[in-house]
Amino acid sequence: MRAGTLKASFTVTPITPVIGAEIGNIDLSVTPDEATSAALREALVRHKVLVFRDQDISPAAHVAVARRFGELEIHPVFPRHPEHPELVLLGGSEQNKARENIYHSDVSWREVPSMASMLRCVECPVAGGDTLWVNMAHAYAQLPQEMKSRIDGLYAAHDIMPAFGTRMTPQQREENRQRFPVAVHPVVRTHPESGEKILYVNEAFTTHLVNFGEKAEVRVGFDFRVAELELLQYLFRQAAIPEYQMRLRWRPNTIAFWDNRATQHYAIQDYFPAVRRMMRATIIGDKPI
């Protein structure tokens, strides 16, 4: 898909040269029509993260807007809105810190991970609580050619348990292990709309490389495991490079809409014991290839 091919009434202002754009002249309390939705989707694929300010919309409107882009998932662990289960309720409390301060791609542990997420700020501290997003297509493009050759054809395991297992009872862990077995995805996935190559491993959910031994030269056993872990750590660290990132300072009624196929994000936990409350709708995507 070529960027910029659809006419739209909203404005698009890039946030950084590589990721993010602020969208103006749009009211998301009114569900966008087909043409506007298509133009927003095109902007999403191009910029990876879209930011909308001053969107005082209801939970029902939030769900309706997100649904314009696909079917919505029901998260198995996070608390959900009592009237709209498609909306998860994110944020800690004055007693407990939020725990999203790790680079990750949402629900990569699903066999079919999400296409995108739409997050609205309900309440946030006066200072702190920013979120970082990373362009993982750019991260892949900037890898040395030797590294691209090393990871070509590798597959990684993604598991719900490292991040969410501690929030479950033993019975819930057993039930969710049956519902969500370990998913295997390519280390480098291809974006289904842009055709971009994307580095698709993250430190929250990726546990190991399932076929590392097919390409590695192993002298003795510990070479195999140590080399695999070193390679994964190198790939994880790509998300932390500032030149690949944008940073969003939240205000109430700010909405961030990001392409979960091509990004990772990190919610900065620097505001505890202040509280930040968010609502998120997540759009089901496609199986990574």
Side-chain angles (χ1 to χ4, degrees):
M1 182 187 72
R2 291 185 298 114
T5 59
L6 295 176
K7 294 182 179 179
S9 59
F10 56 79
T11 61
V12 181
T13 305
I15 295 172
T16 81
V18 298
I19 182 171
E22 189 153 330
I23 306 300
N25 193 34
I26 192 169
D27 179 4
L28 295 181
S29 67
V30 179
T31 304
D33 60 23
E34 184 175 347
T36 302
S37 298
L40 285 172
R41 189 178 186 113
E42 186 175 88
L44 178 71
V45 172
R46 179 179 182 181
H47 295 284
K48 310 297 190 286
V49 183
L50 304 182
V51 176
F52 308 80
R53 297 288 192 183
D54 303 317
Q55 300 291 329
D56 187 9
I57 65 175
S58 67
H62 187 164
V63 170
V65 173
R67 193 168 275 138
R68 291 294 293 165
F69 300 92
E71 182 183 354
L72 304 185
E73 72 164 38
I74 306 296
H75 198 282
V77 180
F78 283 135
R80 300 188 289 266
H81 190 282
E83 298 175 10
H84 302 281
E86 303 92 342
L87 289 179
V88 298
L89 308 178
L90 299 173
S93 66
E94 293 179 355
Q95 291 75 40
N96 298 299
K97 289 184 178 180
R99 292 187 289 176
E100 290 82 40
N101 54 335
I102 185 171
Y103 288 106
H104 64 286
S105 174
D106 286 333
V107 301
S108 70
W109 42 265
R110 289 188 184 271
E111 183 179 1
V112 179
S114 68
M115 183 278 281
S117 294
M118 185 174 285
L119 181 67
R120 173 174 169 260
C121 178
V122 178
E123 177 186 355
C124 55
V126 174
D130 296 356
T131 300
L132 304 171
W133 278 272
V134 193
N135 182 340
M136 298 308 295
H138 189 66
Y140 173 76
Q142 296 301 308
L143 287 174
Q145 186 56 50
E146 179 184 0
M147 180 57 66
K148 290 179 181 177
S149 298
R150 265 189 88 185
I151 63 179
D152 180 45
L154 287 181
Y155 287 80
H158 296 246
D159 193 350
I160 188 176
M161 290 303 167
F164 289 109
T166 57
R167 309 185 191 201
M168 305 175 192
T169 65
Q171 181 178 350
Q172 288 172 330
R173 283 197 291 271
E174 184 174 347
E175 292 171 352
N176 280 306
R177 173 50 72 220
Q178 296 299 315
R179 292 178 62 199
F180 305 108
V182 172
V184 175
H185 303 311
V187 168
V188 181
R189 70 176 295 182
T190 301
H191 197 286
E193 296 178 63
S194 70
E196 293 173 297
K197 299 293 185 181
I198 300 156
L199 182 58
Y200 197 68
V201 293
N202 68 87
E203 61 182 343
F205 303 123
T206 305
T207 56
H208 63 283
L209 301 171
V210 299
N211 62 334
F212 179 77
E214 293 177 6
K215 301 191 70 173
E217 295 182 8
V218 179
R219 178 176 55 94
V220 291
F222 63 76
D223 280 359
F224 173 85
R225 187 58 176 154
V226 170
E228 178 191 358
L229 292 174
E230 287 178 345
L231 176 57
L232 263 182
Q233 287 297 320
Y234 175 87
L235 297 177
F236 290 160
R237 287 197 296 272
Q238 302 310 302
I241 296 175
E243 286 82 358
Y244 306 166
Q245 300 177 351
M246 62 160 278
R247 180 169 180 150
L248 175 63
R249 171 156 290 184
W250 293 99
R251 300 197 301 260
N253 297 321
T254 294
I255 291 177
F257 181 32
W258 66 91
D259 189 334
N260 199 53
R261 302 163 295 189
T263 64
Q264 291 186 36
H265 57 284
Y266 182 111
I268 298 172
Q269 178 50 259
D270 58 355
Y271 54 90
F272 183 78
V275 173
R276 193 186 74 165
R277 295 193 300 119
M278 321 287 272
M279 291 186 186
R280 189 188 79 196
T282 301
I283 301 143
I284 297 172
D286 48 87
K287 186 172 176 59
I289 57 172

